[in-house]
Amino acid sequence: MTRAQRLQLAPWFLLIAVLLLWELICRGFNVSEFIFPAPSRIAAQTWEFGGVIAGHAWRTFWVTMVGFGISIVVGTLLGFLIGSSRLAYAAMYPLMTAFNALPKAAFVPILVVWFGIGVGPAVLTAFLISFFPITVNIATGLATLEPELEDVLRVLGAKRWDVLVKVGLPRSMPYFYGSLKVAITLAFVGTTVSEMTAANEGIGYLLISAGSSMQMGLAFAGLVVVGAMAMAMYELFALIEKRTTAWAHRGSNSH
């Protein structure tokens, strides 16, 4: 088995080991499924309620994608503005950092008052929690453009806009894809948190319903589905990053 194959299989081996240990602990100590269900019980309830879980999962997925799509647009535009201007960076970055420190779950009741229970609060919560990493990474990629390189391009006749668009943005692409992989996982968190208090559909709603009826296997199944969707989107962006920014990862396989 080559090193690359071992690296690819390592997460699966670790997952299997964790599931086996989890199952053994639940069976060995006779842990009640109402407290901490075993993986076998979670799998059984996933199969039993597959249709219900799929319906809620689809709602969570498309709502998350809408909020995430908005965060990409807003985050990219803000990142470009902040990274391309020292004045904008000095004025906006501290305020955005303070905003990001606020717990987004606290916004859900406010969003419910504004938009009612349903899709609106979930989309906006996904957006609010996920746009900041995109903004920061785009701004960092542009703001850290080497002064020497910029000076050379200016001498060659390039204007500030040319430097930003033709050099700064391509240079920021690895930062951008890195931020997408972080932001998509946060977006699922935001959607699920909102659905737990301000929706009658989605995985968050399923978690509350399953918990109130003491079906902990079903609740854990919902968590597994959210994690699987987030992981799938993470891997999708990682694949796109590898295909489009291979120049930024030369020699990475040799480490």
Side-chain angles (χ1 to χ4, degrees):
M1 183 181 297
T2 65
R3 178 180 175 82
Q5 290 175 329
R6 290 199 300 270
L7 291 175
Q8 290 178 346
L9 294 176
W12 296 105
F13 286 139
L14 178 60
L15 176 61
I16 292 172
V18 169
L19 292 177
L20 288 175
L21 180 61
W22 182 352
E23 186 76 25
L24 290 173
I25 290 175
C26 290
R27 290 180 180 271
F29 292 93
N30 197 25
V31 179
S32 171
E33 67 178 64
F34 299 111
I35 303 298
F36 195 60
S40 58
R41 178 58 179 169
I42 297 173
Q45 292 219 290
T46 301
W47 177 262
E48 181 181 355
F49 296 98
V52 175
I53 295 174
H56 287 295
W58 169 244
R59 199 266 192 183
T60 296
F61 179 79
W62 74 259
V63 168
T64 301
M65 290 300 102
V66 172
F68 182 63
I70 298 173
S71 73
I72 292 177
V73 175
V74 175
T76 301
L77 293 176
L78 278 177
F80 186 84
L81 174 63
I82 294 173
S84 60
S85 169
R86 293 181 179 179
L87 178 61
Y89 192 98
M92 298 178 64
Y93 198 89
L95 297 177
M96 291 188 60
T97 302
F99 175 79
N100 188 60
L102 300 176
K104 302 305 179 291
F107 286 93
V108 176
I110 300 174
L111 296 176
V112 171
V113 172
W114 290 350
F115 300 100
I117 294 177
V119 173
V123 169
L124 290 174
T125 305
F127 158 70
L128 291 174
I129 202 172
S130 62
F131 86 95
F132 185 76
I134 300 174
T135 299
V136 169
N137 278 271
I138 292 290
T140 300
L142 292 174
T144 57
L145 185 64
E146 293 84 352
E148 297 82 2
L149 176 59
E150 188 171 352
D151 291 339
V152 171
L153 293 172
R154 290 288 184 88
V155 170
L156 294 175
K159 298 180 180 179
R160 175 63 174 170
W161 178 260
D162 295 326
V163 174
L164 289 173
V165 173
K166 297 181 180 179
V167 179
L169 283 181
R171 184 183 180 278
S172 301
M173 291 307 293
Y175 294 90
F176 174 67
Y177 284 117
S179 69
L180 292 186
K181 292 187 290 187
V182 174
I184 187 60
T185 59
L186 295 175
F188 277 105
V189 172
T191 302
T192 304
V193 168
S194 178
E195 289 172 344
M196 293 177 72
T197 56
N200 51 16
E201 292 181 85
I203 294 296
Y205 174 78
L206 177 66
L207 295 176
I208 295 298
S209 299
S212 63
S213 59
M214 298 301 291
Q215 297 188 70
M216 299 307 295
L218 179 58
F220 272 81
L223 293 176
V224 170
V225 169
V226 171
M229 290 191 295
M231 185 174 66
M233 295 304 301
Y234 181 99
E235 291 298 330
L236 174 62
F237 290 128
L239 179 61
I240 296 174
E241 177 186 18
K242 184 177 180 181
R243 295 291 179 87
T244 57
T245 61
W247 52 269
H249 304 279
R250 287 179 298 178
S252 60
N253 292 332
S254 62
H255 297 293

Short mmCIF file of all heavy atoms in Angstrom, two decimals, residues 6 97-98 110 133 140 144 162 166 171 181 211-212 231 251-252:
data_model
loop_
_atom_site.label_atom_id
_atom_site.label_comp_id
_atom_site.label_asym_id
_atom_site.label_seq_id
_atom_site.Cartn_x
_atom_site.Cartn_y
_atom_site.Cartn_z
N ARG A 6 -2.53 5.05 2.02
CA ARG A 6 -2.66 5.03 3.49
C ARG A 6 -3.28 6.32 4.00
O ARG A 6 -4.12 6.30 4.91
CB ARG A 6 -1.31 4.81 4.13
CG ARG A 6 -0.74 3.41 3.94
CD ARG A 6 0.36 3.11 4.95
NE ARG A 6 1.47 4.06 4.84
CZ ARG A 6 2.52 3.87 4.05
NH1 ARG A 6 2.60 2.79 3.29
NH2 ARG A 6 3.50 4.77 4.02
N THR A 97 -14.86 41.89 13.42
CA THR A 97 -14.37 40.95 14.42
C THR A 97 -15.29 40.94 15.64
O THR A 97 -15.61 39.87 16.19
CB THR A 97 -12.95 41.30 14.85
OG1 THR A 97 -12.09 41.30 13.69
CG2 THR A 97 -12.41 40.31 15.87
N ALA A 98 -15.70 42.13 16.07
CA ALA A 98 -16.63 42.22 17.20
C ALA A 98 -17.96 41.56 16.87
O ALA A 98 -18.54 40.85 17.70
CB ALA A 98 -16.83 43.68 17.58
N ILE A 110 -34.64 37.33 17.23
CA ILE A 110 -34.83 38.60 16.54
C ILE A 110 -35.27 38.36 15.10
O ILE A 110 -36.19 39.03 14.59
CB ILE A 110 -33.53 39.42 16.57
CG1 ILE A 110 -33.11 39.70 18.01
CG2 ILE A 110 -33.69 40.73 15.79
CD1 ILE A 110 -31.77 40.38 18.14
N PRO A 133 -15.53 34.01 7.71
CA PRO A 133 -14.29 33.38 7.24
C PRO A 133 -13.95 33.71 5.80
O PRO A 133 -12.78 33.87 5.45
CB PRO A 133 -14.58 31.88 7.41
CG PRO A 133 -15.65 31.80 8.43
CD PRO A 133 -16.49 33.02 8.22
N THR A 140 -7.25 38.92 3.63
CA THR A 140 -5.87 38.56 3.96
C THR A 140 -5.06 38.30 2.70
O THR A 140 -3.91 38.74 2.58
CB THR A 140 -5.85 37.31 4.86
OG1 THR A 140 -6.56 37.59 6.06
CG2 THR A 140 -4.41 36.93 5.20
N THR A 144 -1.96 40.99 1.98
CA THR A 144 -0.59 40.49 2.18
C THR A 144 0.17 40.33 0.87
O THR A 144 1.16 39.61 0.82
CB THR A 144 -0.62 39.13 2.92
OG1 THR A 144 -1.43 38.19 2.19
CG2 THR A 144 -1.18 39.30 4.32
N ASP A 162 -5.33 46.90 -11.70
CA ASP A 162 -4.73 45.79 -12.43
C ASP A 162 -4.00 44.84 -11.47
O ASP A 162 -4.08 43.62 -11.61
CB ASP A 162 -3.74 46.31 -13.49
CG ASP A 162 -4.44 47.12 -14.57
OD1 ASP A 162 -5.59 46.76 -14.90
OD2 ASP A 162 -3.85 48.10 -15.05
N LYS A 166 -5.56 41.16 -11.44
CA LYS A 166 -4.75 40.21 -12.20
C LYS A 166 -3.73 39.45 -11.35
O LYS A 166 -3.26 38.39 -11.76
CB LYS A 166 -4.03 40.93 -13.33
CG LYS A 166 -4.99 41.54 -14.35
CD LYS A 166 -4.24 42.24 -15.47
CE LYS A 166 -5.20 42.84 -16.49
NZ LYS A 166 -4.50 43.54 -17.59
N ARG A 171 -3.96 35.20 -6.49
CA ARG A 171 -3.16 34.82 -5.33
C ARG A 171 -4.05 34.49 -4.13
O ARG A 171 -3.67 33.71 -3.25
CB ARG A 171 -2.22 35.97 -4.97
CG ARG A 171 -1.26 35.68 -3.83
CD ARG A 171 -0.44 36.92 -3.51
NE ARG A 171 0.50 36.68 -2.43
CZ ARG A 171 0.17 36.71 -1.14
NH1 ARG A 171 -1.07 36.97 -0.80
NH2 ARG A 171 1.09 36.49 -0.21
N LYS A 181 -14.23 25.86 2.77
CA LYS A 181 -14.28 24.58 3.50
C LYS A 181 -14.65 24.79 4.95
O LYS A 181 -15.31 23.94 5.57
CB LYS A 181 -12.93 23.87 3.36
CG LYS A 181 -12.64 23.38 1.95
CD LYS A 181 -11.39 22.53 1.87
CE LYS A 181 -10.14 23.35 2.08
NZ LYS A 181 -8.92 22.55 1.85
N GLY A 211 -35.73 14.25 20.52
CA GLY A 211 -35.35 14.36 21.93
C GLY A 211 -36.53 14.40 22.86
O GLY A 211 -36.53 13.79 23.93
N SER A 212 -37.58 15.13 22.46
CA SER A 212 -38.76 15.23 23.31
C SER A 212 -39.51 13.92 23.43
O SER A 212 -40.20 13.68 24.43
CB SER A 212 -39.69 16.32 22.76
OG SER A 212 -40.16 15.97 21.47
N MET A 231 -19.49 17.11 5.54
CA MET A 231 -18.26 16.48 5.09
C MET A 231 -18.24 16.33 3.57
O MET A 231 -17.21 16.54 2.92
CB MET A 231 -18.09 15.10 5.74
CG MET A 231 -16.76 14.42 5.41
SD MET A 231 -16.54 12.88 6.33
CE MET A 231 -17.86 11.88 5.62
N GLY A 251 4.39 20.17 -4.64
CA GLY A 251 5.24 19.48 -3.68
C GLY A 251 4.57 19.08 -2.39
O GLY A 251 5.20 18.58 -1.47
N SER A 252 3.23 19.31 -2.28
CA SER A 252 2.54 18.99 -1.04
C SER A 252 2.49 17.50 -0.79
O SER A 252 2.40 17.03 0.34
CB SER A 252 1.11 19.56 -1.07
OG SER A 252 0.38 19.02 -2.14
#
